Amino acid sequence: AQSVAQPEDQVNVAEGNPLTVKCTYSVSGNPYLFWYVQYPNRGLQFLLKYITGDNLVKGSYGFEAEFNKSQTSFHLKKPSALVSDSALYFCAVRDLNTGGFKTIFGAGTRLFVKA
Amino acid sequence: EAGVAQSPRYKIIEKRQSVAFWCNPISGHATLYWYQQILGQGPKLLIQFQNNGVVDDSQLPKDRFSAERLKGVDSTLKIQPAKLEDSAVYLCASSRGGATDTQYFGPGTRLTVL
């Protein structure tokens, strides 16, 4: 079965420093991978996705993610963190073995950016 | 382009009562999803519609949860009777429906069952 793991419940980083939020996946076949962000009392907002092609995917708000097939990882990165980046981040994988292409979400990683 | 609309935003009920949530997807999106997000967890798919047909409801507790999308546009999710463990945020999302398509989420309805 397809699955995704976010090994860190929380990541703390100082403003201006680079940030990384980790995600590993387990799929049969080619992975379709997504990152979403959730601010308090809001729905999930799409950041970026990897379908095929370049392993470095650029997304919204200066975020990017690196797809690494050998390590089955899809880590989210940003060169310089902002206090406003503090939020809950979800990695997700799409299960192509289901008729509806079900999306399976990780448990989430809370990012705290300190001023 | 208007986003996914949901109402109400918040609902507090007592156990054994019933409750209904409404969702209007992005115009032109054939696929509509209802997710349950329990505090501290990622969203879990409850039901997925393609137009007005059900594609996946394998994780929907059918003894108490029901959903419909009669005209292939907006949708209603109902819980009857509610249990304490149903306290969660209920998220609606929509997409064009293809394997690579992005899902766009509404703001969610926070349900508290007392």
Side-chain angles (χ1 to χ4, degrees):
Chain A
Q2 322 290 46
S3 65
V4 63
Q6 296 182 241
E8 303 158 314
D9 291 335
Q10 183 172 310
V11 170
N12 298 310
V13 64
E15 187 174 35
N17 283 359
L19 70 86
T20 299
V21 183
K22 296 180 180 178
C23 172
T24 59
Y25 64 89
S26 174
V27 302
S28 56
N30 293 322
Y32 290 178
L33 298 158
F34 300 78
W35 275 103
Y36 286 84
V37 60
Q38 187 175 35
Y39 297 99
N41 299 316
R42 303 277 292 276
L44 276 67
Q45 295 181 30
F46 170 73
L47 283 178
L48 50 81
K49 63 183 176 183
Y50 173 82
I51 303 300
T52 187
D54 195 348
N55 289 344
L56 185 64
V57 180
K58 295 190 180 297
S60 306
Y61 313 121
F63 283 93
E64 57 190 27
E66 186 171 11
F67 171 68
N68 188 316
K69 188 172 184 178
S70 63
Q71 297 185 8
T72 62
S73 66
F74 189 55
H75 300 333
L76 182 70
K77 300 181 179 184
K78 188 173 183 181
S80 178
L82 300 173
V83 172
S84 57
D85 292 330
S86 298
L88 191 55
Y89 290 82
F90 291 97
C91 182
V93 64
R94 188 150 292 166
D95 186 347
L96 302 182
N97 296 311
T98 61
F101 310 127
K102 179 188 291 187
T103 301
I104 299 165
F105 288 85
T109 298
R110 189 166 296 281
L111 174 67
F112 286 102
V113 181
K114 186 176 180 180
Chain B
E1 181 182 73
V4 177
Q6 289 188 248
S7 67
R9 292 296 312 278
Y10 304 92
K11 191 73 177 179
I12 300 174
I13 61 172
E14 296 191 348
K15 59 183 179 183
R16 292 188 289 274
Q17 287 186 325
S18 63
V19 64
F21 313 128
W22 174 82
C23 173
N24 187 255
I26 292 172
S27 178
H29 280 190
T31 306
L32 185 147
Y33 314 79
W34 284 103
Y35 288 88
Q36 180 191 58
Q37 186 180 17
I38 292 173
L39 187 64
Q41 299 179 18
K44 182 185 80 172
L45 180 68
L46 291 176
I47 189 167
Q48 177 181 340
F49 292 95
Q50 179 78 14
N51 296 309
N52 59 350
V54 175
V55 174
D56 186 339
D57 63 356
S58 58
Q59 297 188 96
L60 186 74
K62 298 180 184 65
D63 58 334
R64 298 184 300 106
F65 286 64
S66 64
E68 60 183 14
R69 193 184 185 199
L70 292 176
K71 296 182 179 179
V73 181
D74 56 354
S75 175
T76 302
L77 176 69
K78 297 180 181 178
I79 307 175
Q80 182 178 11
K83 292 185 175 181
L84 297 177
E85 59 261 36
D86 298 332
S87 294
V89 175
Y90 291 84
L91 295 165
C92 180
S94 70
S95 77
R96 298 191 186 279
T100 63
D101 288 332
T102 299
Q103 293 181 26
Y104 295 93
F105 285 79
T109 297
R110 181 176 297 277
L111 174 67
T112 302
V113 183
L114 303 175

